[in-house]
Amino acid sequence: MRARDSRQWQVITAGLSAVVALLLVLGITAKDRILHSVDGAFLNVVDDCATTGPLEREIDALPFFATPPPGVLPARGFEAPGGAAGCLDDSGDELVTAYRTYRLTGDKQAVADRFRAVAERDGWRRGPVEADPDLPDVPADPADLCFEKRLENGPVAVTVIFLPAQQQVEVDAYAMLDGTATTC
């Protein structure tokens, strides 16, 4: 190789090294912005649930999960107290949720009245219950309930849904991570 070709090769390699170094520096400094922008779009690489512990504990301690009212017993797998709150951040709707399934053993209306009394004692506001959009052929049960309240760590909604075919009652509490008001 001639000296002139060798010199040109050194200039090209030095230039490529500088470009690679610049790209590495830009990639390192921009990685958080890049990762945050794709969060929820294609990959969920940012942990939105990292700081939800206080809200999870607050939801898990709701009076709806404390003691089953007369007329229901915890369904199999739901014997432990509390609603076992957890955070979901991979569905696009990032939220903290807890739920409990009870086996209906008594009068449905008496059970609904007990959940309503618990909500009223604890300052929950009752809202309308809508039919499940995923089950358009199944109308909302007249005994179904929905309550809303702003807790210390954010707004929360609680639904009490009766499933007569399964002889069950599902109690579900949820709060959006972005602080959006959760309404019935």
Side-chain angles (χ1 to χ4, degrees):
M1 192 186 286
R2 295 187 314 207
R4 182 175 167 214
D5 291 338
S6 176
R7 178 70 183 135
Q8 284 178 335
W9 181 250
Q10 287 175 346
V11 170
I12 290 171
T13 353
L16 284 174
S17 295
V19 168
V20 168
L22 179 62
L23 288 173
L24 284 172
V25 168
L26 289 174
I28 290 169
T29 59
K31 86 172 169 47
D32 288 336
R33 285 185 304 234
I34 292 168
L35 290 177
H36 196 19
S37 69
V38 298
D39 181 33
F42 300 107
L43 301 171
N44 190 6
V45 292
V46 177
D47 186 5
D48 294 317
C49 293
T51 61
T52 61
L55 181 57
E56 289 178 40
R57 287 187 292 280
E58 196 171 25
I59 287 176
D60 207 30
L62 291 175
F64 301 98
F65 301 124
T67 306
V72 299
L73 294 172
R76 181 168 292 172
F78 294 92
E79 293 87 0
C87 180
L88 302 172
D89 71 345
D90 61 351
S91 67
D93 290 330
E94 296 153 332
L95 55 98
V96 171
T97 185
Y99 66 95
R100 187 89 172 177
T101 301
Y102 295 103
R103 189 167 37 95
L104 188 61
T105 59
D107 178 60
K108 177 172 60 173
Q109 193 57 52
V111 171
D113 291 344
R114 292 287 282 190
F115 277 114
R116 191 178 302 106
V118 165
E120 288 172 5
R121 260 194 321 272
D122 200 40
W124 290 79
R125 186 174 63 92
R126 187 164 175 207
V129 179
E130 297 178 11
D132 187 339
D134 295 331
L135 303 170
D137 297 336
V138 180
D141 189 303
D144 290 348
L145 303 166
C146 186
F147 305 102
E148 307 163 347
K149 184 176 179 181
R150 182 160 215 14
L151 302 180
E152 183 178 332
N153 292 291
V156 176
V158 174
T159 58
V160 178
I161 305 297
F162 289 85
L163 305 169
Q166 294 91 351
Q167 287 294 298
Q168 292 182 333
V169 181
E170 288 185 352
V171 179
D172 185 21
Y174 57 94
M176 305 305 290
L177 289 188
D178 65 3
T180 303
T182 50
T183 59
C184 294

